[in-house]
Amino acid sequence: MKMTIRNSALMAVTVAALGGCAGGNMGTAQQAAYDRDTADVMARSFRAQGIATLDRLQQDPLMATCSAPDRHLGDEQAEQIQAAAMAGIKWPSDGNFLGDWKEGEKLAQSGKGLTWKDKADGANGGNCYNCHRISKTEISYGTIGPSLYQYGKLHGNTEKTQKYVWAKIWNPNATMACSNMPRFGHSGILDEKQIRHIVALLLDPKSPVNAE
Amino acid sequence: MKSRKYAVCLGVSALALMVPTLPALADATSDGIAHYRELLAEGNPAELWEMRGEELWREARGPKKATLEQCDLGQGAGVVKGAFVTLPRYFADTKRVQDLESRLLTCMETLQGIPAAEVAATPFGKGEQENIEALVAWISAESRGMQFNVPTSHPEEKRMYEVGKRAFHFRGGPHDFGCVTCHGDDGKRIRLQDLPNLTQPADAARGFGAWPAYRVSSGELWSMQRRLNDCFRQQRFPYPLYGSDVTIALSTYLGVTANGAGESIAPAIKR
């Protein structure tokens, strides 16, 4: 679905208003005016550089909703977002969730890809260590997301866990509306094969995540 | 270099910023820390940019062979002390809210005849941009130790604050990132780099109040425009135009959030 920035920003406001928290003591008309100003400012403040083209500023309805400052999602709205995200997940075409954890570790380490300095054909990394603790030996990990160390040991390498982790990587909003984690599958950052490797990293009993 | 005391906070976390990823950890870390200590013992190299900036302010330059001494940074023509901690602000002559760098472009154009659009299109660290880096180092140093007091009384200032707040929360691009993804919670890190929660006054004062800064990793003096530019790159966004309204709105939001919550230490020394 293609939207203009202005439309999507307006949509965010509408959705926030439905969520019952459009901005303290400021009138809705004033809020809407600032939202329009923001759309105008966004539209005139950037230029394309390399692969980072201006269409990246176009939000889909999910991101428009998740961009409202002081956002408060009601239960019903969160459920709607999650259901829509879940419905869009592409499951592994051969029914196989697990790849090679060694390849998964390489992808988890790499933060490469999709900035204006990167090439179009450059291989994208998963950025996982930027936000998560994963193995015991890698001490340079971020904390934006929860620790995933021993993930398979704690949750079991069952079909249910495999599906949960696949869905989380494909579109994290399927189980957590407005997650801070990227939609690796949905947005085409990683392909099916790469996601299999990363699921293996988290769940394979032989992976250092679970073996150590 | 004359030795001056700098309010540089070199805690464990600052050292942690130096730690690269495994496996070359041990060596690179201790080398990095040693290098950092060496630099601090000699003083913040930003001082070199400060000295050059002060000279540039008083130097007759450009097609009009004029100095910047009549430049109005918001406190009256030629007043530099205290100007940095009250920017961005509204300027009646340009009818715009301007941050330090976009204001310098105005002064360079009107007083010296140096075309603002050309300077804005020059890459960081080159040509006139190098001069701007020196100027912002000196101008910010003249407000060292002062509390942020960014105004919101003019309707345009209020508007830029509100736009900045929305731009800060605007999520998009292939990763769905916004500033808020990396700077919206307390005590988070990316790898080992601490991320200030820029929605909160104390962290906003620390994070916003440190730039311009000397970057040890690149040996350069980075202005706030350049800091924001690199964050937009990490955000996977398109390229923010130099001095564009989105950068000024973001600085307004950060500066107003920082008001009264801490002193400016710019130009600081950073990883």
Side-chain angles (χ1 to χ4, degrees), chain A residues 85-93 97 166-167 170-171 185-186 192 195:
Chain A
M86 190 59 94
I89 287 172
K90 213 176 138 246
W91 299 99
S93 43
F97 289 90
W166 184 277
W170 193 275
N171 185 346
H186 172 94
E192 210 184 281
I195 296 176

Side-chain angles (χ1 to χ4, degrees), chain A:
Chain A
M1 179 173 181
K2 204 172 156 152
M3 302 180 79
T4 64
I5 299 168
R6 169 168 298 183
N7 284 342
S8 58
L10 280 176
M11 170 167 241
V13 183
T14 321
V15 176
L18 289 173
C21 66
N25 47 19
M26 203 188 291
T28 17
Q30 181 65 79
Q31 290 283 348
Y34 287 138
D35 288 332
R36 279 194 304 275
D37 291 341
T38 306
D40 291 343
V41 164
M42 293 300 291
R44 67 168 182 261
S45 293
F46 295 87
R47 65 168 166 80
Q49 170 89 354
I51 60 170
T53 45
L54 289 174
D55 57 340
R56 290 189 178 191
L57 297 173
Q58 288 175 1
Q59 296 174 310
D60 66 5
L62 174 68
M63 275 309 121
T65 302
C66 297
S67 293
D70 311 316
R71 157 169 51 79
H72 174 79
L73 295 177
D75 286 350
E76 207 177 309
Q77 198 189 356
E79 273 163 32
Q80 277 170 16
I81 290 174
Q82 290 172 192
M86 190 59 94
I89 287 172
K90 213 176 138 246
W91 299 99
S93 43
D94 60 358
N96 185 9
F97 289 90
L98 298 179
D100 174 359
W101 65 261
K102 291 191 197 76
E103 291 303 315
E105 167 69 11
K106 283 184 215 158
L107 287 162
Q109 285 281 1
S110 168
K112 280 212 169 66
L114 296 167
T115 75
W116 67 59
K117 285 188 179 169
D118 295 306
K119 299 257 176 331
D121 55 0
N124 299 329
N127 282 286
C128 315
Y129 279 103
N130 278 355
C131 297
H132 294 285
R133 181 181 187 210
I134 302 178
S135 67
K136 191 178 179 184
T137 45
E138 178 55 278
I139 60 157
S140 175
Y141 59 84
T143 57
I144 293 177
S147 171
L148 303 175
Y149 178 54
Q150 307 242 296
Y151 199 84
K153 223 178 192 171
L154 294 169
H155 299 275
N157 185 13
T158 62
E159 198 190 323
K160 192 171 161 230
T161 329
Q162 290 175 5
K163 275 192 154 158
Y164 176 83
V165 172
W166 184 277
K168 182 57 62 184
I169 299 173
W170 193 275
N171 185 346
N173 300 281
T175 45
M176 166 70 91
C178 294
S179 173
N180 270 340
M181 179 164 152
R183 291 174 278 179
F184 290 101
H186 172 94
S187 302
I189 304 166
L190 299 173
D191 63 24
E192 210 184 281
K193 196 165 138 216
Q194 291 172 312
I195 296 176
R196 259 191 220 107
H197 295 326
I198 296 174
V199 176
L201 174 68
L202 297 191
L203 297 182
D204 191 324
K206 291 188 294 297
S207 142
V209 173
N210 304 307
E212 285 167 30

Side-chain angles (χ1 to χ4, degrees), chain B residues 142-158:
Chain B
E142 289 289 296
S143 291
R144 199 179 263 127
M146 295 183 186
Q147 291 273 340
F148 279 95
N149 187 18
V150 177
T152 49
S153 46
H154 193 281
E156 281 303 300
E157 292 164 349
K158 174 88 179 115

